[in-house]
Amino acid sequence: MSEIAGQTGLRAGANAVVNESYSFACMRCGYGWEQSYEIEHHTDATGHEVVFYVADGKVVPSPLSKPTCQNCDGHVVRIMRPGRVESARNAEHRHHRVPPPAGPVEAPVSEGAGEKPEHHHWQLSDLLHPFQRKAS
């Protein structure tokens, strides 16, 4: 999911750059996408570490703090390991088959089908019979 980039990819003032990719799925509209980030580690004037997320050459907010759906601007977004959206799309195309049309279904005919079933009136004692103990 992440890898440390060599010193050649560092921007001005960055101590290290880590490349990470994530898959995102919006729980509101169902839209899915993937994004790769360069995470730049800098040290500010007071000596504290500062991290910048860079996507497509632009500094963006951390996708882990408050992700936003690119389709509906929703904030209920599931973050997953990279490749999950692509594998779901591939699986959908592979297994997308139209089921055969449903036709009339014939129920099997039993031998006594023409006879009227005997009506049995259940008594409470009939239902409790399996639970009754025999006297010893």
Side-chain angles (χ1 to χ4, degrees):
M1 193 145 65
S2 64
E3 60 184 55
I4 303 292
Q7 294 292 329
T8 57
L10 296 179
R11 296 180 192 260
N15 301 329
V17 176
V18 178
N19 293 314
E20 290 194 7
S21 297
Y22 300 100
S23 292
F24 301 91
C26 179
M27 299 291 105
R28 181 177 171 198
C29 71
Y31 181 71
W33 72 100
E34 298 191 12
Q35 182 67 54
S36 295
Y37 298 90
E38 291 179 350
I39 304 169
E40 299 179 356
H41 296 263
H42 296 264
T43 305
D44 66 6
T46 61
H48 294 94
E49 185 175 330
V50 179
V51 178
F52 294 108
Y53 283 79
V54 179
D56 300 324
K58 299 176 186 174
V59 176
V60 296
S62 169
L64 306 178
S65 59
K66 190 175 182 184
T68 302
C69 176
Q70 297 175 350
N71 187 51
C72 71
D73 292 329
H75 293 291
V76 183
V77 176
R78 181 172 183 181
I79 303 171
M80 302 167 285
R81 70 175 186 252
R84 299 294 291 171
V85 171
E86 187 64 30
S87 65
R89 284 184 183 141
N90 291 339
E92 179 182 333
H93 292 296
R94 254 181 296 169
H95 299 295
H96 185 65
R97 288 183 259 168
V98 177
V105 178
E106 295 181 21
V109 179
S110 62
E111 290 181 22
E115 301 173 10
K116 187 176 180 180
E118 182 182 323
H119 180 70
H120 181 76
H121 183 73
W122 290 93
Q123 298 290 325
L124 182 59
S125 60
D126 294 334
L127 299 174
L128 296 175
H129 181 71
F131 301 105
Q132 294 174 347
R133 285 191 266 162
K134 294 181 181 180
S136 319

